[in-house]
Every structure is written in C-alpha cells, then in structure tokens.
C-alpha cells in the first residue's frame, strides 16, 4: 500500500542537499529543493512546520555553508548564515556551532502527500515483470495485465523487479515522543535531525549500511538519543526513561549518492524513479516530473546535463 515503505514516517524534513562544488550536482539539488517547496505549498495538509536550522558539524561545514550561501544557486533569502549565538537563540539551547537557517524548509507529513496524490490506488504486490508483445506483463495476485509503459517506484525493493538495479539498502529508524504543542521544539538538522510531527516530535535517524531489517530496536532508539544529545543535550536528558515510539524502514541509495530517474537501460517502455536515499522528499517532485516527461515523450524540466546525472544507465551509480 502507499506509505508501506520509507515514505510512511509521520514526519520528514524537506531540506536542500548542500553541495559546495557549486557545479551541476549543486544546480540539480537546488532545482529539486525549490520545486519541492513550490509543490508542497499546494498541499497545506502535508506541511507540519516551516523553517529548519542546519548546524555545522565541523569547521569545514561552516566554510561550506558560507560558500553556498554566498553563491547564486538559490534566490536571496533562501539560506541565511548564523553565528553560534544566533544559532543558539534559534535552536533553543546553547550551541558552539555555526548554523544555516533555511526559512522555507519544511517538516512534512509524507502520509498527507500520499493521501492527496494517491487517493484510491489499485494496490497489489507485483511478483514479476516480463517484456512481451505490446509492453510489459505484470503478474501479481490476480490476472496478469499488460501495460505499454511501466514506471518502477518500488523503493528498496527495486531489485525484485529490476535485478540489475544499482541500489544499496540502508536501514534507518526514527524515534518519536509526544509533546504538547507549545513545547514542540523547532526543526533542526546536524547529520541527525529533529522534526515536529502531529502531537510531538521525531528525531533520528540511524543509518545502517547493508542492513534491510525493519524491526524496531532499543539499540537504534539509544543511537538516536545520543545523536540528539550532541546538539540538544537538555532536551535529550529530559527524555531519559520516556517510552519512545518509532519506525524502521530501508532507504535505497546509490554509489554516487544520486537518484535513478529515467529510462531503465535496454528495456523499452520501462522507467524508474528510485535510489532516493535519505532525501526522497526533496528529490521526488522534480524527478517525478522528469520521469513522467520521459515516459510520455513530453518536455522534461531538466536540462540535458542535469538529466544525465540521474540517468539510470550512468556508470557512476554502480
Ligand atoms: C528512517 C528514515 C528517515 C527518513 N527521513 C527522511 C527525511 O527526513 N527527509 C527525506 O527527504 N527523506 C527521508 N528519508 C528517505 C525517504 O523516506 C525515501 O527517500 C523515500 O521515502 C523513498 O521513496 P520511494 O517511493 O522511492 O520508496 P518507498 O517509500 O519505500 O515506496 C516504495 C513502495 O513500493 C511498494 N512496493 C515495493 N515492491 C513492490 C512490488 N513488487 N509490487 C508492488 N509494490 C511494491 C512498497 O510497498 C512501497 O509502498 C528517510 C528514510 C528513512 C528510512
């Protein structure tokens, strides 16, 4: 069902990937972020809060923030550099880290998006996909059906239907806790992240490469608390002994850390939107439009050099 996979958490952050190279990858990431903000603004039920403070983990990070904020990648006001004093005021606890304020960034309820965009899907587990005259035969629990065009968007399960898919699984668990509205902390990112959600807030997430289990573990709750304590020690201490909720799912990553969006190689009529890694909420709107354009023969919003970065046939993904 929609939301059964990674996209079913009660909150996630929509933040830009910050690429100090300022080259094509940075341009693609900026375009995806701006498109995501624009499209989610039309789904008010999905937006939980606006504004995310990104904290620097190292001096190198602070330099990266400054370089990107001074560039022309984003419209003025999209990113604002904060010194540690201003970052502390914004965070709600004292920090010695510099920050990058992202006033338009979102905490989003992915389930609200699915509700708006995926109202009454015909949901079934597809067991196999075979090329046939006139398209692709999909076999599931009921009669096989043939479609001229198929778009794979099966997250970490991509290899089941496309065995050569160049993706690597990364297990992640988020932890959450109830909090009355006025006490909900503001959204922040520092490698880990904190996101307001309905009735409380969520924090995490663990990042376990090569693991694909979805069990909720105390070990991962502890890891999330330890990460939170690095930037919000008082908040983390206040959660000692509190029962945490949570959810674990699997991300699909690629070797070059860029998504797969476009035609599946040597498979006419078969397309993919996947490999969205840790930032699917930011990548998906722009790349979904790109894949839809490729599948229907319409104009893509991506210029050729940026489309090549996410081309599923590129060598660097494997
Ligand atoms: C713990 C955690 C925290 C995260 N936090 C954030 C965040 O804050 N911000 C952010 O941008 N991203 C975040 N991500 C990443 C984000 O969730 C993913 O990038 C995104 O959800 C991937 O979307 P998807 O549609 O590719 O895959 P999924 O959401 O996993 O969807 C795949 C769908 O395909 C279905 N499916 C699979 N196989 C088949 C089949 N054979 N037949 C039929 N259906 C099938 C599944 O049931 C599922 O519904 C997080 C991920 C995790 C795990």
């Amino acid at each position: 069902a929609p939301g059964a996979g990674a996209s079913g958490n009660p909150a996630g952050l929509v933040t830009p990937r910050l690429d100090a190279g300022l080259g094509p990858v940075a341009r693609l990431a900026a375009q995806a972020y701006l498109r995501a903000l624009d499209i989610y603004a039309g789904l008010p039920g999905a937006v939980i809060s606006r504004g995310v403070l990104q904290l620097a983990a190292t001096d190198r990070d602070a330099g990266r923030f400054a370089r990107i904020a001074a560039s022309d990648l984003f419209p003025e006001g999209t990113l604002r550099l904060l010194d540690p004093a201003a970052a502390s005021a914004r965070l709600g606890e004292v920090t010695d880290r510099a920050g990058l304020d992202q006033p338009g960034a979102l905490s989003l309820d992915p389930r609200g998006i699915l509700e708006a965009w995926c109202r009454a899907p015909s949901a079934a587990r597809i067991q196999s996909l075979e090329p046939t005259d006139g398209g692709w035969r999909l076999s599931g629990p009921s009669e096989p059906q043939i479609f001229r065009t198929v778009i794979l968007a099966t997250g970490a399960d991509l290899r089941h239907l496309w065995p050569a898919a160049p993706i690597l699984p990364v297990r992640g668990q988020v932890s959450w806790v109830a909090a009355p509205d006025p006490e909900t902390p503001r959204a922040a990112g520092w490698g880990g992240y904190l996101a307001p959600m309905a009735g409380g807030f969520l924090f995490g997430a663990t990042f376990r490469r090569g693991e694909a289990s979805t069990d909720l573990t105390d070990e991962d709750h502890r890891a999330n608390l330890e990460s939170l304590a690095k930037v919000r020690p008082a908040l983390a201490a206040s959660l000692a002994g509190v029962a945490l909720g949570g959810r674990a799912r699997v991300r699909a990553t690629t070797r070059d850390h860029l998504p797969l969006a476009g035609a599946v190689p040597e498979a006419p009529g078969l397309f993919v939107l996947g490999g969205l890694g840790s930032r699917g909420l930011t990548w998906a709107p722009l790349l979904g439009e790109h894949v839809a354009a490729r599948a229907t023969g319409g104009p893509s919003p991506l210029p050729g050099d940026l489309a090549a970065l996410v081309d599923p046939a590129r060598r660097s993904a494997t």
Side-chain angles (χ1 to χ4, degrees), residues 241-258:
V242 172
L244 298 174
R247 188 167 187 271
R249 285 296 184 271
V250 185
R251 307 172 185 89
T253 62
T254 58
R255 206 163 291 282
D256 62 8
H257 309 293
L258 285 167

Side-chain angles (χ1 to χ4, degrees), residues 42-87:
L43 298 172
V47 174
I48 299 166
S49 70
R50 233 171 261 279
V52 177
L53 172 67
Q54 187 68 37
L55 290 162
T58 57
D59 287 347
R60 212 166 142 229
D61 263 355
R64 186 164 61 99
F65 289 179
R67 193 167 148 77
I68 294 166
S71 76
D72 61 0
L73 273 179
F74 295 93
E76 218 179 309
T78 310
L79 306 173
R80 290 195 300 239
L81 276 180
L82 301 182
D83 63 20

Side-chain angles (χ1 to χ4, degrees), residues 84-286:
S88 301
R90 175 81 175 64
L91 183 66
E93 285 192 47
V94 176
T95 182
D96 58 2
R97 302 177 184 217
L100 191 66
D101 187 25
Q102 304 163 352
L106 304 172
S107 177
L108 199 73
D109 183 348
R111 298 166 312 178
I113 305 168
L114 291 170
E115 236 169 78
W117 287 347
C118 241
R119 273 265 156 88
S122 167
R125 180 154 191 91
I126 303 303
Q127 298 297 351
S128 68
L129 177 73
E130 296 154 289
T132 183
D133 283 351
W136 293 87
R137 181 189 292 116
L138 267 64
S139 305
S142 50
E143 278 293 287
Q145 280 186 275
I146 295 174
F147 294 90
R148 195 162 54 87
T149 303
V150 172
I151 300 175
L152 300 173
T154 52
D157 277 341
L158 198 52
R159 282 205 178 144
H160 180 73
L161 297 175
W162 174 23
I167 59 160
L168 313 162
V170 178
R171 173 197 150 88
Q173 178 174 313
V174 283
S175 306
W176 61 71
V177 68
D181 212 11
E183 287 167 35
T184 305
R186 294 168 83 176
W190 60 90
Y193 69 90
L194 184 162
M197 62 182 251
F201 64 93
L202 166 159
F203 56 99
T206 53
F207 197 87
R208 300 196 183 276
R209 282 192 182 85
E211 289 187 27
S213 77
T214 55
D215 306 334
L216 210 55
T217 69
D218 288 340
E219 188 189 354
D220 276 17
H221 277 324
R222 272 196 299 278
N224 286 337
L225 274 171
E226 277 166 24
S227 171
L228 182 67
K230 285 184 192 158
V231 293
R232 298 282 327 244
L235 181 63
S238 76
L239 300 181
V242 172
L244 298 174
R247 188 167 187 271
R249 285 296 184 271
V250 185
R251 307 172 185 89
T253 62
T254 58
R255 206 163 291 282
D256 62 8
H257 309 293
L258 285 167
L260 306 166
V264 172
E266 293 163 42
L270 189 60
F271 297 83
V272 60
L273 175 59
L276 297 172
S278 299
R279 228 179 266 280
L281 300 177
T282 305
W283 284 124
L286 177 69

